[in-house]
Amino acid sequence: KDWWWKARLGKCYYQLGLFREAEAQFKSSLKHQDMIVTYLELCKVYVRLDQPNTALQWYTIGTERHPTDTHLRLGIARVHDQLNRLDEAVTWYHRVLELDSTNVESLACLAANHFYEDHPEIALRYYRRIMQMGVVNTELWTNLGLCCFYSSQYDLALGCFEKALVLASDDNMADVWYNIGNVAIGIGDLSLAYQAFKL
């Protein structure tokens, strides 16, 4: 009757791919003790079973019982994002930021959403906010460079790509050069584009 052991058993079943058994254990654990992590694990089972609406129902139950938790709200936003319900996902990412204004995932998802909706200036604000929080990596500098380019701030764009190249590893170097090539085509520097795509 210990909720913890039932949750651990559910996690073991999940790792073994026995999703229905995991579901039963997580539900039994929730009957004994209402824990946020158990809701998260149960919803993960439903996502793996390709039942996103059931996952949303359990996330909603969890948010009603734990209204100040950001993890459950973030889970709802992710599921909506996977279902391509972008308006609802954006709403939930904003709700996460209402509780935790430093949530990097929400900021990055909102920035990407604004970028793809042709609002690179707004996306730039979100990416700069992430940088102010101390997150510095190749992907962030690349996204900043693209936002600057599409905002017609060409001088800043190239500086961002230079910093992305400094931080790049072998895994993401090709992505940076690909984006540099596209920016070079956009500004009419075909020799730079040729060199970027050649690398």
Side-chain angles (χ1 to χ4, degrees):
K1 296 200 174 194
D2 188 354
W3 69 269
W4 189 85
W5 283 110
K6 290 185 178 197
R8 295 304 97 204
L9 191 57
K11 193 163 187 155
C12 290
Y13 282 137
Y14 178 83
Q15 294 294 330
L16 291 171
L18 303 170
F19 301 123
R20 289 299 176 190
E21 288 81 358
E23 173 192 11
Q25 291 298 325
F26 288 133
K27 283 183 175 178
S28 178
S29 175
L30 281 172
K31 285 180 185 172
H32 294 317
Q33 183 72 35
D34 191 48
M35 298 295 290
I36 295 169
V37 70
T38 311
Y39 283 108
L40 295 172
E41 295 288 342
L42 179 61
C43 293
K44 208 160 71 169
V45 168
Y46 286 124
V47 169
R48 285 292 301 270
L49 287 171
D50 198 24
Q51 296 179 356
N53 290 329
T54 308
L56 286 173
Q57 289 173 355
W58 279 97
Y59 275 129
T60 304
I61 292 169
T63 54
E64 288 169 358
R65 293 184 181 165
H66 305 278
T68 59
D69 183 69
T70 58
H71 298 92
L72 294 166
R73 291 177 181 221
L74 202 54
I76 293 172
R78 286 181 194 143
V79 172
H80 283 302
D81 224 348
Q82 291 170 353
L83 293 173
N84 207 21
R85 299 177 187 159
L86 298 180
D87 292 337
E88 293 177 37
V90 166
T91 301
W92 281 99
Y93 285 128
H94 279 294
R95 289 181 185 174
V96 170
L97 290 176
E98 287 172 4
L99 294 175
D100 179 13
S101 62
T102 61
N103 189 288
V104 175
E105 183 178 349
S106 293
L107 290 168
C109 290
L110 289 171
N113 183 60
H114 284 296
F115 179 79
Y116 288 115
E117 287 186 348
D118 294 327
H119 300 294
E121 300 87 3
I122 299 173
L124 195 58
R125 286 184 13 213
Y126 282 108
Y127 285 130
R128 285 185 178 159
R129 173 74 179 116
I130 294 171
M131 285 191 68
Q132 288 172 350
M133 294 178 347
V135 178
V136 179
N137 57 31
T138 304
E139 292 80 8
L140 184 58
W141 279 110
T142 302
N143 289 341
L144 273 168
L146 289 172
C147 287
C148 288
F149 171 70
Y150 287 108
S151 300
S152 301
Q153 301 174 13
Y154 304 121
D155 52 338
L156 293 175
L158 293 175
C160 291
F161 283 118
E162 286 176 15
K163 290 180 182 177
L165 285 172
V166 169
L167 294 172
S169 65
D170 290 338
D171 296 334
N172 52 17
M173 183 77 73
D175 295 333
V176 178
W177 280 113
Y178 174 78
N179 286 311
I180 290 173
N182 282 326
V183 167
I185 289 172
I187 61 175
D189 191 345
L190 297 182
S191 63
L192 174 61
Y194 176 77
Q195 291 173 357
F197 289 135
K198 191 175 179 182
L199 293 173

